[in-house]
Amino acid sequence: MGKLVLPNLQGKQMGQVIVTLTVTNRIDQVLAQRGFISSGKVRSYILDDVLVDTSATLLCLPASIISQLGLVQGGEAQVETAAGVQQGRIFRDVELSIAERQETFDCLELTEVPYALLGVTPIEVLGLEPELKIGICGFYR
């Protein structure tokens, strides 16, 4: 498997795009749709202040959020970080909701930082483009 790039965020402030998104355990959603669990048991989390980073590949979530969602590990990958190349865990079936769009993705576990990153793959799949204007941070379709 190829390397995934996780950026060094030190010093990045101008031109940042920060978004709010919702992540949900897709397996829980399917179980609720089929009547195996109640809809109240579907694990979901709203993330504020998610950094959109076009040098990141995947949706990257802190280990604590992955644990709260109960996501299933699907593999590992070599991850390039500011500290060098490290082994990273990939988790499956997280539904990402942003700007009235939804899709299911894999995500990379972040163990060193407490915040989430939104990488290029989910941005492109959802058909979103970062919009950078003075005083405005968000997406346009």
Side-chain angles (χ1 to χ4, degrees), residues 47-62:
L47 298 170
D48 295 313
D49 301 325
V50 175
L51 177 64
V52 175
D53 196 313
T54 56
S55 64
T57 306
L58 301 175
L59 171 65
C60 304
L61 297 175

Side-chain angles (χ1 to χ4, degrees), residues 57-59 96 105 118-128:
T57 306
L58 301 175
L59 171 65
L96 169 64
F105 295 98
L118 183 61
V120 247
T121 300
I123 292 169
E124 289 178 354
V125 169
L126 291 170
L128 302 169

